[in-house]
Amino acid sequence: MNFAYAQNTAKCEIIDKKSIYSFSGIGYEGEGIRKKNIFSELSIESTNTEGIFLKDNEIIMGKEGTYRIILSSVIKDNKTRDKYAVNINSKEAFELNPQDMLPTGVFFFQMYLKKGASLGFTMIKNNGKISSSVESNYLKVLFTDPKLIAYSEHH
């Protein structure tokens, strides 16, 4: 496999919030209880882009290394917290469960990815129906050195 995964608990918070790549979009595509998050816009907050780009709702990594990933979707009147599947090279690698979500409604994790690997996300609806009232999908991707990441524990 091309990746290593580390999920953080809801108690952890990122202290270094400087974003390099931001992706946004509205809604989902596909049929059934699993629908792919739509990402249609890329914003780069750095002059060093390393060739990362957006293609067919997937983020193509321009450099091998560890990435910090922050994912959220804003859904109107969402009473249940849904889970997401993380797709590497168009294959499901693992799921992010609602209990792993930060209190702010954000999933955050780290992965090691090879250059050219693609990263995508699928929403999995718990009650079998995905809301059509999605306001936005948002994703931040930061290339990082894992030794430099600091966490703050809140109890």
Side-chain angles (χ1 to χ4, degrees):
M1 282 258 131
N2 290 6
F3 66 94
Y5 159 71
Q7 175 68 45
N8 294 299
T9 67
K11 295 178 185 175
C12 292
E13 177 183 12
I14 299 173
I15 293 171
D16 173 15
K17 296 183 181 181
K18 181 181 178 191
S19 175
I20 297 175
Y21 310 103
S22 301
F23 302 86
S24 61
I26 297 174
Y28 304 94
E29 64 180 15
E31 300 296 323
I33 63 169
R34 301 173 86 84
K35 293 191 179 187
K36 193 171 185 178
N37 289 63
I38 293 175
F39 294 104
S40 56
E41 293 185 33
L42 163 63
S43 171
I44 301 172
E45 300 173 25
S46 171
T47 56
N48 185 3
T49 66
E50 299 296 337
I52 196 168
F53 62 95
L54 180 62
K55 180 181 178 187
D56 299 327
N57 280 329
E58 292 191 345
I59 291 81
I60 310 300
M61 311 322 281
K63 184 176 180 180
E64 182 172 344
T66 302
Y67 290 86
R68 188 183 309 169
I69 313 289
I70 304 164
L71 172 68
S72 67
S73 286
V74 177
I75 302 174
K76 293 179 188 175
D77 305 321
N78 190 12
K79 305 263 190 267
T80 62
R81 288 184 158 189
D82 303 308
K83 56 185 173 178
Y84 291 87
V86 177
N87 307 308
I88 307 296
N89 297 326
S90 301
K91 294 182 182 176
E92 185 174 313
F94 58 90
E95 292 181 358
L96 301 170
N97 292 302
Q99 65 268 20
D100 296 328
M101 186 183 293
L102 292 174
T104 57
V106 172
F107 286 104
F108 129 66
F109 57 97
Q110 290 177 197
M111 308 183 74
Y112 180 86
L113 294 163
K114 291 189 175 185
K115 180 178 180 175
S118 66
L119 178 65
F121 299 91
T122 303
M123 177 179 259
I124 305 167
K125 190 65 177 170
N126 287 332
N127 66 9
K129 183 179 178 186
I130 293 178
S131 172
S132 60
S133 60
V134 174
E135 290 183 355
S136 64
N137 296 315
Y138 187 70
L139 177 69
K140 285 185 182 181
V141 178
L142 297 85
F143 185 81
T144 188
D145 178 347
K147 293 178 276 195
L148 300 177
I149 297 173
Y151 299 97
S152 171
E153 294 283 336
H154 294 282
H155 298 281

